[in-house]
Amino acid sequence: MEQETKISSFRGFFGNHHHTIDVKNRAFVPAKFRDGLASGFMLTKGFETCLIGYSNEEWHKMMVNYSTAPKLETDCRDFIRGFSGNSHECEVDKQGRFSIPQYLQEYAKITKDFCFVGMIDHFEIWDSALWREENIKYDRSADVKAEKMQKYLKPLVVSAAAADGPAAV
């Protein structure tokens, strides 16, 4: 390999981080997420009444991919319209804050307390009470969900290089 891929200190979005929104609709980005979101990020309506956030780089990859969807299919148009049409570009200020627009707060039922939830390549933002409910549902069915998830995963292959440390993905 001519040039080895450099791995940044940012390794994805993990954990859950509780925050509050202030009267100016601002919130702090969790410290562990800041490296991945330093150049800003996109926020949009998610599923199960949460918001979804993507780094600008991930968002761009998705939009390129979504742009290939068949425009004559109503479901494709509807999804793209809802997903992209409700997106908001977020800038992170010097204090590590960003603004959540009112229409997204209303969609996710965020009034004050909320939670960032790491989803590996993106994150979700949940109203804290709704996150607790969602987490309880997960606890009750984690084994069933893990079993279903197996069909989507590629088998892990351990190579000699793995012994030297994590490889670039």
Side-chain angles (χ1 to χ4, degrees):
M1 191 191 282
E2 285 182 9
Q3 183 179 356
E4 193 171 320
T5 303
K6 183 178 178 181
I7 300 173
S8 74
S9 62
F10 179 71
R11 303 231 187 252
F13 301 102
F14 299 96
N16 63 81
H17 311 271
H18 294 270
H19 291 270
T20 57
I21 194 161
D22 68 18
V23 294
K24 293 183 179 179
N25 296 330
R26 295 177 306 194
F28 285 97
V29 172
K32 292 186 179 213
F33 290 7
R34 286 190 191 152
D35 283 350
L37 303 175
S39 64
F41 60 95
M42 296 298 290
L43 199 57
T44 191
K45 290 180 177 180
F47 313 104
E48 295 93 20
T49 318
C50 72
L51 304 178
I52 302 177
Y54 294 91
S55 68
N56 287 335
E57 181 181 354
E58 283 298 316
W59 181 263
H60 177 73
K61 286 186 221 175
M62 284 185 3
M63 292 302 104
V64 167
N65 196 24
Y66 286 171
S67 70
T68 65
K71 307 298 186 284
L72 295 178
E73 289 189 27
T74 304
D75 287 342
C76 291
R77 283 193 318 271
D78 286 347
F79 176 77
I80 291 170
R81 187 179 297 121
F83 196 75
S84 180
N86 287 299
S87 64
H88 175 75
E89 189 171 2
C90 298
E91 294 180 10
V92 181
D93 69 16
K94 292 176 184 173
Q95 288 80 33
R97 299 173 303 191
F98 71 102
S99 294
I100 302 176
Q102 191 65 39
Y103 73 96
L104 290 177
Q105 289 178 53
E106 289 169 5
Y107 171 78
K109 301 179 181 173
I110 296 170
T111 54
K112 183 173 177 149
D113 298 321
F114 69 95
C115 183
F116 282 85
V117 177
M119 296 287 289
I120 304 171
D121 64 340
H122 67 283
F123 61 91
E124 296 177 337
I125 295 179
W126 288 81
D127 170 78
S128 289
L130 292 176
W131 169 244
R132 282 190 294 279
E133 290 173 20
E134 190 68 21
N135 220 8
I136 289 168
K137 285 193 310 191
Y138 171 79
D139 290 346
R140 291 183 186 142
S141 62
D143 53 343
V144 173
K145 291 183 188 304
E147 189 174 318
K148 286 181 179 180
M149 181 76 175
Q150 290 302 310
K151 70 180 177 183
Y152 300 106
L153 302 177
K154 296 176 186 173
L156 293 176
V157 178
V158 179
S159 67
D164 295 331
V169 179

